[in-house]
Amino acid sequence: MYNKGGVKMKKTALYDAHLSLGAKMIEFGGTMMPLQYKDIAFEHDAVRQKVGIFDVSHMGELLVTGKDALKFVNYVVTNAIPSVSKKVTYALLCDEDGFVIDDLLVYVLTSEHILLAVNASNIEKDFEWLKKHQQKFDIELKNVSDSYSQLAIQGPLAHDEVVQLLQLKPPYLTFMTFDVIHYLNEPLIVSRTGYTGEDGYEIYGTHTRIQTLWKASLEKGITPCGLGCRDTLRFEASLPLYGHEISNTIHPFEAGLGFAVKETGFIGSESLQLKKQQVSRKLVGIQMLERGIPRADYRLFAGEKEVGFITTGYMLKTQTHPIALAMVELPYTKLGTELQVEIRQQKLACRVIKKKFYEKHYVKES
Amino acid sequence: MSKRLFANSDEWVNIDGTKATIGISNYAQESLGAIVFIELPKVGTTVKKGQVFGAVESVKAASDLYAPMSGKVIFVNDALEAQPELLNEDPYVNYLIEIEVETPEDTGDLMEEPDYLASRH
């Protein structure tokens, strides 16, 4: 099928499965994806209380291979990537001015094979950026996104379900570690990572094996969950989304991502050393004090002065008030500061609260 | 005999003499998904045909409401503020507002139900 601009839409290997479940489909980053199967709030709740499964095959995978793979990756991303270990590293790609190109996960498969898991909407952009900087390195770059399907299984019951589905044996993975296992005679990358704030796993594999795993998961009663609740869950866990909390006009220290930025030796490090000393705006939490839902791009005011904008906002059943993440100028970032958010030409009262809306449930020790 | 007419923007109007009730169509509530918030005008406000008179919000996004007819608001269904999900349950019984219609004949751009349904993809 084609979108309104006449561009051919991609489908994941689970497209027919989503249709058979009656999913409401939408276009995301050029791929037809399930927005919801039953109801966004219902699916959000299933992940928080039990376990849900997401088709995240639209995400991208870029492979860096060769003698200088580790050196190259350490040069292009902001975080320190260790040599072979089972660690999954969260990192950013930044430009020379320190603005964010994408956020990603780095999997060091071997010292000469590194997989970068990138956002669906940035696959081509990221790939071009890497190719632009590869000259001095003895490496090969491949966009293998079309070869991989991916599932995320998330929730308090996710670990037990995944152990059964994949016949995992102890010692089990802990948060932000991965392993390559065999499932029906093919390799799967299994990592204890996720984008919901709950314990869970992300699983990368070939299309046929992921199709089988999806089917087996639904047969076990795991709730299928769409992009709608994927966004409400990550927002509630205060996790950034590219294009909202991070973008090509936002740098990591404004977005509270300094923990993923090493001192030197990567593209943008010099600019970022300066920017770190001059942070003039920050991501904060916003709570509504008057009736209204703050949405992305709505403007924030302190009286007559425009002081920021909403990056993501929702009214969630699991929260007492509509809340949001927002990029706000110092000193209006102080907790308790009362501001106004402009909703449909009306200024409604809100205040700055902690960004932490939810206590995450990562399993850091086995 | 009054009959429901539909606007291309998915609102409906039911004209009965000089009064009219206005709501959103079943197609609209289904497309929106679970409705979590509704903003309606106050009694006494004038709404203008084709212009925004309020908003309805699903989990994901806000949608403007466009008046299918012009008139003065004489009743607002406040119950929807506390229970926006009623719009998903029955968007015909749970109408939004009632107006005193300015020009009841001005329905040329509105569709009868069969034509409206046929035009929705």
Side-chain angles (χ1 to χ4, degrees):
Chain A
M1 82 218 46
Y2 295 79
N3 69 4
K4 287 195 181 130
V7 178
K8 184 144 189 219
M9 290 289 94
K10 291 195 282 195
K11 292 184 201 173
T12 70
L14 295 171
Y15 179 78
D16 290 337
H18 302 318
L19 289 189
S20 73
L21 289 168
K24 208 176 261 189
M25 303 298 285
I26 52 150
E27 184 218 321
F28 186 87
T31 307
M32 290 307 288
M33 295 297 291
L35 173 73
Q36 64 181 71
Y37 299 85
K38 189 166 167 166
D39 174 76
I40 294 176
F42 172 83
E43 291 161 29
H44 180 116
D45 200 53
V47 171
R48 290 271 180 257
Q49 305 300 331
K50 299 184 296 181
V51 55
I53 183 168
F54 298 81
D55 174 11
V56 285
S57 305
H58 61 316
M59 304 284 281
E61 292 80 13
L62 304 177
L63 194 59
V64 183
T65 55
K67 233 173 86 269
D68 291 341
L70 193 58
K71 247 175 78 180
F72 174 73
V73 175
N74 268 301
Y75 175 65
V76 293
V77 310
T78 57
N79 210 344
I81 307 302
S83 60
V84 188
S85 64
K86 289 299 204 296
K87 192 164 179 271
V88 185
T89 312
Y90 175 76
L92 304 164
L93 283 177
C94 286
D95 64 23
E96 293 89 348
D97 298 317
F99 293 115
V100 184
I101 292 172
D102 205 3
D103 67 343
L104 59 142
L105 293 181
V106 181
Y107 295 80
V108 178
L109 302 171
T110 75
S111 57
E112 297 194 2
H113 290 78
I114 302 179
L115 189 77
L116 307 179
V118 301
N119 282 304
S121 51
N122 293 328
I123 299 171
E124 277 76 38
K125 180 180 75 164
D126 293 352
F127 192 47
E128 290 309 309
W129 177 257
L130 295 182
K131 286 197 287 189
K132 192 172 160 194
H133 291 95
Q134 74 170 119
Q135 291 77 16
K136 294 200 278 249
F137 300 87
D138 182 2
I139 56 164
E140 255 186 57
L141 292 169
K142 260 168 77 171
N143 178 355
V144 293
S145 307
D146 291 341
S147 310
Y148 280 95
S149 281
Q150 187 189 354
L151 298 176
I153 299 179
Q154 304 278 307
L157 304 180
H159 171 75
D160 290 341
E161 294 291 351
V162 172
V163 164
Q164 284 172 33
L165 284 163
L166 300 180
Q167 312 220 295
L168 300 179
K169 301 272 179 289
Y172 298 120
L173 294 171
T174 54
F175 180 60
M176 297 301 282
T177 63
F178 80 97
D179 208 347
V180 178
I181 65 151
H182 277 80
Y183 176 71
L184 305 172
N185 291 316
E186 280 189 26
L188 287 184
I189 298 173
V190 178
S191 69
R192 201 153 185 181
T193 50
Y195 193 48
T196 61
E198 297 305 319
D199 179 28
Y201 289 81
E202 290 178 311
I203 301 162
Y204 306 72
T206 60
H207 306 309
T208 55
R209 298 305 182 261
I210 293 296
Q211 282 168 335
T212 304
L213 189 54
W214 171 271
K215 197 154 166 277
S217 302
L218 291 199
E219 276 163 16
K220 281 174 122 282
I222 299 176
T223 306
C225 297
L227 292 188
C229 79
R230 181 167 162 83
D231 201 45
T232 56
L233 287 162
R234 71 91 193 161
F235 160 74
E236 193 177 35
S238 312
L239 299 171
L241 173 64
Y242 193 81
H244 292 253
E245 288 70 36
I246 43 176
S247 74
N248 64 1
T249 55
I250 297 175
H251 66 76
F253 298 110
E254 292 173 323
L257 299 175
F259 68 87
V261 182
K262 61 199 174 201
E263 277 286 309
T264 56
F266 61 94
I267 301 172
S269 53
E270 278 160 28
S271 297
L272 284 174
Q273 276 183 355
L274 287 170
K275 285 181 152 74
K276 187 176 180 179
Q277 307 308 319
Q278 302 166 340
V279 176
S280 62
R281 59 180 190 170
K282 279 191 329 180
L283 267 185
V284 297
I286 293 287
Q287 183 187 64
M288 290 306 293
L289 296 174
E290 289 186 276
R291 199 180 167 267
I293 304 179
R295 301 280 184 185
D297 300 330
Y298 287 7
R299 302 189 299 169
L300 283 164
F301 293 84
E304 288 305 310
K305 188 175 199 284
E306 188 172 341
V307 296
F309 59 94
I310 303 291
T311 56
T312 306
Y314 279 107
M315 187 160 102
L316 299 175
K317 285 192 180 150
T318 39
Q319 298 285 333
T320 54
H321 298 74
I323 50 171
L325 290 168
M327 188 62 75
V328 173
E329 270 174 46
L330 273 55
Y332 301 96
T333 50
K334 185 158 169 242
L335 289 183
T337 305
E338 286 199 17
L339 298 173
Q340 298 84 46
V341 56
E342 190 179 51
I343 301 181
R344 291 180 282 277
Q345 287 108 36
Q346 244 202 313
K347 291 205 173 103
L348 298 177
C350 61
R351 68 172 164 199
V352 175
I353 58 170
K354 285 208 184 120
K355 275 202 327 265
K356 188 171 173 179
F357 310 129
Y358 186 72
E359 196 68 51
K360 299 195 191 61
H361 295 125
Y362 299 144
V363 175
K364 298 192 174 171
E365 279 151 19
S366 52
Chain B
M1 195 61 227
S2 59
K3 201 167 35 180
R4 206 171 275 126
L5 296 173
F6 293 77
N8 198 43
S9 46
D10 302 317
E11 295 83 5
W12 57 261
V13 62
N14 201 345
I15 306 169
D16 194 357
T18 55
K19 299 206 171 68
T21 48
I22 292 171
I24 62 168
S25 69
N26 189 51
Y27 173 85
Q29 73 77 17
E30 228 171 49
S31 309
L32 285 166
I35 294 169
V36 299
F37 186 86
I38 179 126
E39 198 180 278
L40 295 173
K42 292 195 168 48
V43 170
T45 319
T46 303
V47 302
K48 288 262 149 218
K49 187 187 183 63
Q51 293 196 5
V52 174
F53 71 92
V56 68
E57 300 207 32
S58 66
V59 174
K60 274 221 77 68
S63 291
D64 286 327
L65 293 164
Y66 295 87
M69 301 286 289
S70 301
K72 196 164 87 165
V73 179
I74 55 176
F75 177 78
V76 176
N77 191 353
D78 289 321
L80 295 177
E81 259 190 36
Q83 292 188 277
E85 64 273 13
L86 289 174
L87 272 183
N88 294 114
E89 266 172 50
D90 192 332
Y92 297 119
V93 160
N94 298 300
Y95 61 86
L96 303 173
I97 57 174
E98 192 178 2
I99 60 170
E100 228 158 55
V101 197
E102 266 171 39
T103 44
E105 344 66 69
D106 190 6
T107 58
D109 60 314
L110 304 176
M111 297 170 261
E112 291 185 12
E113 188 154 21
D115 291 334
Y116 168 71
L117 289 175
S119 67
R120 301 301 97 178
H121 305 296

